[in-house]
Amino acid sequence: MARMQSLLKDKLHRPLRDLRISVTDRCNFRCTYCMPKDVFDKNYPFLNKSQLLTDDEIIRLSKLFVKSGVKKIRITGGEPLLRRNLDKIISQLSRIEEVEDIALTTNGVLLPKKAKQLKNAGLKRVTVSLDSLSDKRFGKINGQGIPVSSVLTGIASAEEAGLEVKINMMVQKDVNDDEIINMIRHFEGSGHILRFIEFMDVGNSNQWSLKKVLTKKEILEKIKQFYTVEPLDQNYFGEVASRFRIKETGEEIGIISSISDAFCSSCTRARLSADGSVYTCLFSSYGTSLRNPLRNGESDDMLLERIEELWQHRSDQYSKERRHIQDDKKRKIEMSYIGG
Ligand code: SAM
Ligand code: SF4
Ligand code: SF4
């Protein structure tokens, strides 16, 4: 069936360009803002093996997304490095000709074991999440008492393996906002771009409140007390972070401002959950299963039609409309299920 891939647009004229694949809903951390341990405890109904997409299913669906226009793939989770054979998945993804970029978001602690393997499989870059440089605080945030050095060692292994590294710091008011400058200083000269993320109201279990959000403007104000900051142009349409340069050091930083300065109008991202459902927005209430029709024997053309139809019907712009959405009981899918 002939398809006009470049013309596939959603209801707001946004093309499909990025795919975020969650390869597991499990994690070795229990970050308070993502998988608080009183909710994600031993009774939590994590996906079982038969519910998870197999490696081959991930590859097959990824190829169909690529046919629908996807050029960039990000592997996420849960903690993606917990997935067995991740290097094999990456190796196959990196052989898909039209894929221009494959990245991975991780908490970093398994990088010493896996960075080299992943690099050899074709991975070019990783984003490592690190919210604090204080062991006491970081241990509390990650809910498991894991020390900062475990993540820093992971970052060093990624460097050694030749992976490009970015650092994500999720900033919460009165939790770690006093560490923004320390983080900038710590990573100065490392070559790693540091990105600050506003605390988002993803899922239903992280006790989100607007009061806990340090906005992009407030983050910049804190930085400007010590540095001169100049805005940089977007690298490409749909880039999530606003980019800035710190004049005194020449370092680039980014701010991801889903709350205070929504970027829905250029959102070209689809998300595939670990059990094979597609979510057209991080704040979706429900996904659409591709795993079930796939396991029921649908052909590639039929599955492709489903993906394209889903995208054509997409009108999500939750962040842009957030302040008008009165129903704070809206069911939202958990971040660990579809990835950041
Ligand atoms: N486990 C990996 C990690 O932590 O990097 C990958 C998955 S995690 C869900 C992806 C990113 O989402 C992390 O950088 C994390 O800080 C961010 N994140 C999780 N919950 C968030 C929230 N409520 N608001 C903003 N960012 C959040
Ligand atoms: Fe795990 Fe990442 Fe969520 Fe923390 S943010 S609980 S590391 S999935
Ligand atoms: Fe994209 Fe939804 Fe986030 Fe808007 S709120 S940028 S549509 S994922």
Side-chain angles (χ1 to χ4, degrees), residues 96-320:
I96 305 174
E97 210 175 298
E98 298 89 336
V99 174
E100 293 167 0
D101 185 31
I102 303 176
L104 174 123
T105 309
T106 171
N107 62 33
V109 298
L110 292 173
L111 280 171
K113 275 194 193 146
K114 308 225 166 168
K116 229 187 207 129
Q117 255 181 19
L118 295 172
K119 170 73 178 163
N120 291 341
L123 188 71
K124 301 270 184 314
R125 55 197 197 91
V126 288
T127 301
V128 181
S129 307
L130 178 61
D131 299 331
S132 172
L133 291 167
S134 141
D135 273 343
K136 196 168 164 218
R137 187 179 278 173
F138 186 57
K140 247 194 209 167
I141 295 175
N142 66 50
Q144 304 283 62
I146 293 161
V148 176
S149 57
S150 302
V151 181
L152 295 179
T153 309
I155 293 172
S157 318
E159 283 167 14
E160 248 167 61
L163 290 164
E164 185 196 315
V165 180
K166 282 186 184 150
I167 312 292
N168 271 2
M169 175 187 185
M170 216 281 283
V171 188
Q172 279 181 84
K173 210 174 245 174
D174 300 329
V175 172
N176 60 348
D177 56 340
D178 57 345
E179 289 198 61
I180 291 176
I181 300 299
N182 277 356
M183 287 286 278
I184 291 177
R185 289 189 180 136
H186 183 89
F187 287 104
E188 190 186 327
S190 66
H192 309 327
I193 296 175
L194 177 58
R195 302 187 315 169
F196 303 101
I197 309 179
E198 289 180 353
F199 181 29
M200 296 186 280
D201 50 334
V202 242
N204 296 103
S205 44
N206 68 4
Q207 310 283 321
W208 182 87
S209 131
L210 193 55
K211 288 195 199 100
K212 297 183 189 165
V213 177
L214 196 77
T215 63
K216 172 164 132 183
K217 186 164 169 271
E218 290 167 328
I219 293 171
L220 281 172
E221 273 162 13
K222 281 195 183 276
I223 301 173
K224 283 178 184 168
Q225 288 175 17
F226 294 85
Y227 298 106
T228 319
V229 179
E230 47 190 24
L232 295 173
D233 290 337
Q234 268 197 334
N235 276 325
Y236 51 87
F237 176 79
E239 191 171 29
V240 173
S242 337
R243 301 164 62 232
F244 299 90
R245 175 169 290 118
I246 297 185
K247 223 171 166 185
E248 289 78 357
T249 64
E251 298 281 334
E252 178 181 333
I253 55 160
I255 303 183
I256 301 175
S257 55
S258 163
I259 304 293
S260 68
D261 187 10
F263 36 81
C264 298
S265 55
S266 61
C267 180
T268 53
R269 290 175 287 285
R271 292 176 158 84
L272 182 63
S273 66
D275 60 350
S277 287
V278 184
Y279 292 81
T280 53
C281 178
L282 183 54
F283 301 91
S284 297
S285 300
Y286 299 97
T288 304
S289 179
L290 290 180
R291 185 199 62 192
N292 296 344
L294 180 153
R295 289 188 182 170
N296 287 337
E298 282 200 1
S299 68
D300 280 359
D301 272 350
M302 288 154 94
L303 291 167
L304 196 54
E305 214 160 290
R306 282 182 189 273
I307 293 172
E308 297 189 349
E309 221 170 88
L310 259 173
W311 196 260
Q312 277 159 350
H313 284 98
R314 176 189 194 238
S315 60
D316 307 274
Q317 44 177 348
Y318 176 85
S319 286
K320 210 171 152 192

